[in-house]
Amino acid sequence: MAYSETRIVIGGLTHVPVLIFIANFIKGKFGIKTEEVKETVVIEEAVKIIEVKDTVVKGGKGEAIKELSKKLDSIEQKAGEVYEKVKKKKKDKKKKKKKD
């Protein structure tokens, strides 16, 4: 039984979606799932090193150093708060994804 050329082409085109479905099914079963990748964050605590010298600091410089030290401490505290907020938001997003 002989088939025309157009009938063969149409038959081949109708099988393309079936082949794509089968390929995607196999890919889904054996593919690498990227959502299961866990993030590991290492937090290093800052170490303050203060060297004590036998020199005398003038009054104005001593006050400036104290002010800078206070500002640095407040910046470190704010950075810690921001880190905690970001960490909490990431946990909330993961919980939403698991619920969906």
Side-chain angles (χ1 to χ4, degrees):
M1 184 186 250
Y3 294 105
S4 68
E5 214 174 294
T6 55
R7 190 169 187 179
I8 292 172
V9 171
I10 291 172
L13 291 176
T14 57
H15 284 84
V16 170
V18 174
L19 295 174
I20 291 173
F21 173 75
I22 292 171
N24 284 335
F25 181 75
I26 292 171
K27 184 180 174 183
K29 287 291 180 181
F30 300 108
I32 297 173
K33 296 180 181 177
T34 57
E35 292 180 12
E36 294 181 8
V37 176
K38 296 180 181 178
E39 294 181 20
T40 55
V41 179
V42 178
I43 301 171
E44 295 182 13
E45 293 185 23
V47 178
K48 293 182 183 179
I49 300 174
I50 300 173
E51 294 181 18
V52 179
K53 296 182 180 179
D54 293 335
T55 58
V56 177
V57 179
K58 293 183 181 178
K61 288 183 180 180
E63 292 297 321
I65 291 172
K66 287 180 184 178
E67 287 180 31
L68 289 174
S69 177
K70 288 179 184 178
K71 288 181 181 178
L72 180 62
D73 289 338
S74 66
I75 290 171
E76 287 177 347
Q77 184 179 8
K78 287 180 183 178
E81 291 172 2
V82 169
Y83 175 76
E84 292 298 322
K85 286 181 183 178
V86 169
K87 189 176 176 181
K88 185 179 178 183
K89 285 184 180 180
K90 283 185 180 180
K91 284 183 181 179
D92 292 342
K93 284 183 181 179
K94 286 182 181 180
K95 286 180 182 178
K96 278 186 177 180
K97 285 184 179 180
K98 287 182 180 179
K99 287 181 181 178
D100 294 336

